[in-house]
Amino acid sequence: MTRIVLAVCLSALPTLIRADDWPQWMGPQRDGVWRETGILDKFPEGGPKVLWRQPIGPGYTGPAIVGGRIYVMDRLTDAPALKDGFARNAMPGKERVLCLDAANGQEVWKHEYDCPYLKISYPTGPRTTPLIHEGKVYTLGTMGHLYCLDANTGKPVWSKSLKDEYKNPPPIWGHAASLLIDGDRLITLAGGNGSAVVALDKNTGKEIWRALTSEEVCYCPPTIIEAGGKRQLIIWLSDTLNSLEPETGKEYWMVPYPEDGSPQRPAVNISQPLLVNDILYVTSFYHGPLAVKLAKDKPAAEVAYRGKKVADPSKAATLHTLMSTPGVLDGHFFGTGAAGEIQCIEAATGKRVWSEKKPFGGKEALFGTAFFIRHADRFFLFTDQGDLILTKLSPKGYEELGRANLLKPSQNARGREVVWSHPAFADKRMVCRNDKEIICVDLSKVGSQ
């Protein structure tokens, strides 16, 4: 064991993942929980201190932070802006993977490649969060360019095009499901017949297995849970919620979503599945929630409760979330509804406990989005208006402890200017970006005094 640990330290010292790093989508454990200590209890006057700002190209990609370096993606193009935000013809441009010094935001290296956008809605830039693992950076671009790069130099180790290999065009909103590593497997949504999800060798890119077929693979990240005495890979596609054996891709169980298996199309299944006790929960804008109760003695599931399609999701009695993954605390979900309201949902029953519009100024906000990161018994909410809100959320209600506007919304979406990029939290700091700049904010208790 000592020799193994020493070998890892010597071969990947600059990118060795520490407890306070943020190496992938939703953090170290992919659960949206920030576990560092020494974090501020309240915002100083004028808001948290911005330590640095640096220019960046457009994109939705959230940053990852490992070993004092930030990894993020953007896009460069000279193509004129589209009137309706849909790339019917090929839009020339390049996607970039950037490595920045976390101390000052200065570029360490970049890797760029030609990437015309074709038949993509909201063709601003790449969507997925880079994944840093054992000295390598794994990235997935909008059109399905999949790269494994050396984390120290940015040089390619291997690459492939999901669009070309699996003979399937990207989803209408581009590839947006962040990558997952499980053992030696890199797991991604791909598309095509029998290859909605594929597992690749993380060191070579060679396919290990492929599984499932769906008209749309959608945008939900692959998720690993443990239930029924087994590790289960949860894949949420446009018409089904699926559980697979991670090692082989063999199906454990499948539940139609929605109930008749005929979703509103194009489908917008985006937020990550959540497990609370024996309840596995997903929710989307059009069809609302699906909660399945997982068996204790084997990998199996039965429906606990469902939402239903309604003409106006903002008036639904259940949680209809567009894209952000709800937060979890004490057996409850806290998520954004169709009109931007924060809702508290009892996980066991799906019952709405309360609804609150304060995060968006007490007004309805169509597609209003807030990213939830739990820290101890509090939450940091980063809204699509660039506001960072420190709050306590409980079945008793919404308690706002502080608010600061850190970034200006830079992109139009259905008549609203928004920031649609998930922040990262590491080294007692937050890193977030819009389409013009990336910033680092001090959230340490010392820095707030």
Side-chain angles (χ1 to χ4, degrees), residues 168-191:
N168 199 62
I172 190 171
W173 287 290
H175 282 282
S178 291
L179 302 166
L180 170 69
I181 281 185
D182 180 58
D184 289 331
R185 296 169 294 279
L186 177 71
I187 299 173
T188 182
L189 302 187

Side-chain angles (χ1 to χ4, degrees), residues 59-303:
Y60 302 101
T61 295
I65 307 172
V66 170
R69 289 184 174 183
I70 297 168
Y71 302 86
V72 69
M73 297 178 71
D74 69 359
R75 187 168 191 264
L76 299 181
T77 180
D78 294 326
L82 301 176
K83 292 182 179 180
D84 62 358
F86 185 73
R88 291 176 176 81
N89 301 311
M91 290 180 62
K94 294 182 177 182
E95 287 187 335
R96 302 192 303 177
V97 182
L98 304 175
C99 175
L100 310 177
D101 189 329
N104 52 32
Q106 295 289 332
E107 182 180 299
V108 178
W109 57 254
K110 66 182 177 183
H111 173 75
E112 61 184 35
Y113 51 92
D114 287 329
C115 185
Y117 281 7
L118 175 62
K119 296 182 179 178
I120 295 294
S121 184
Y122 292 87
T124 297
R127 280 86 159 130
T128 65
T129 298
L131 192 162
I132 295 82
H133 177 77
E134 295 181 349
K136 297 182 178 68
V137 181
Y138 299 86
T139 63
L140 176 61
T142 298
M143 297 298 294
H145 294 85
L146 179 61
Y147 276 93
C148 171
L149 307 172
D150 184 288
N152 293 321
T153 66
K155 293 182 179 179
V157 178
W158 58 262
S159 67
K160 64 174 55 191
S161 166
L162 298 182
K163 176 174 65 69
D164 295 339
E165 182 152 340
Y166 296 100
K167 312 302 181 186
N168 199 62
I172 190 171
W173 287 290
H175 282 282
S178 291
L179 302 166
L180 170 69
I181 281 185
D182 180 58
D184 289 331
R185 296 169 294 279
L186 177 71
I187 299 173
T188 182
L189 302 187
N193 187 29
S195 53
V197 57
V198 299
L200 310 174
D201 186 301
K202 68 182 182 183
N203 296 310
T204 65
K206 182 180 179 181
E207 183 181 300
I208 298 172
W209 57 254
R210 62 172 69 187
L212 304 177
T213 298
S214 179
E215 182 176 333
E216 299 174 84
V217 294
C218 284
Y219 315 95
C220 174
T223 302
I224 296 283
I225 65 169
E226 292 194 22
K230 296 287 186 179
R231 298 173 66 255
Q232 301 183 38
L233 172 64
I234 304 301
I235 302 295
W236 187 27
L237 303 172
S238 64
D239 43 13
T240 56
L241 180 66
N242 307 270
S243 170
L244 307 178
E245 183 179 64
E247 293 80 10
T248 66
K250 181 185 76 173
E251 182 177 291
Y252 281 138
W253 54 260
M254 180 274 288
V255 175
Y257 178 94
E259 190 169 9
D260 62 1
S262 299
Q264 169 83 26
R265 296 194 185 277
V268 287
N269 299 351
I270 302 174
S271 69
Q272 182 170 299
L274 297 170
L275 180 63
V276 175
N277 299 321
D278 58 354
I279 294 292
L280 182 68
Y281 181 92
V282 295
T283 176
S284 79
F285 184 83
Y286 291 120
H287 299 285
L290 167 64
V292 297
K293 186 173 182 179
L294 302 176
K296 295 182 179 180
D297 59 342
K298 61 181 179 180
E302 61 181 12
V303 175

Side-chain angles (χ1 to χ4, degrees), residues 334-393:
F334 301 92
T336 48
E341 75 283 9
I342 304 297
Q343 297 182 24
C344 172
I345 304 295
E346 188 177 65
T349 65
K351 176 185 176 182
R352 181 186 295 170
V353 180
W354 53 257
S355 178
E356 180 57 71
K357 297 179 181 178
K358 286 182 181 178
F360 291 91
K363 302 177 182 179
E364 289 194 357
L366 180 63
F367 301 151
T369 297
F371 298 104
F372 293 74
I373 297 296
R374 178 163 66 86
H375 182 266
D377 62 345
R378 310 165 302 162
F379 284 87
F380 287 93
L381 307 186
F382 185 66
T383 78
D384 64 19
Q385 298 304 290
D387 288 340
L388 181 64
I389 302 174
L390 180 59
T391 180
K392 283 196 172 182
L393 303 175

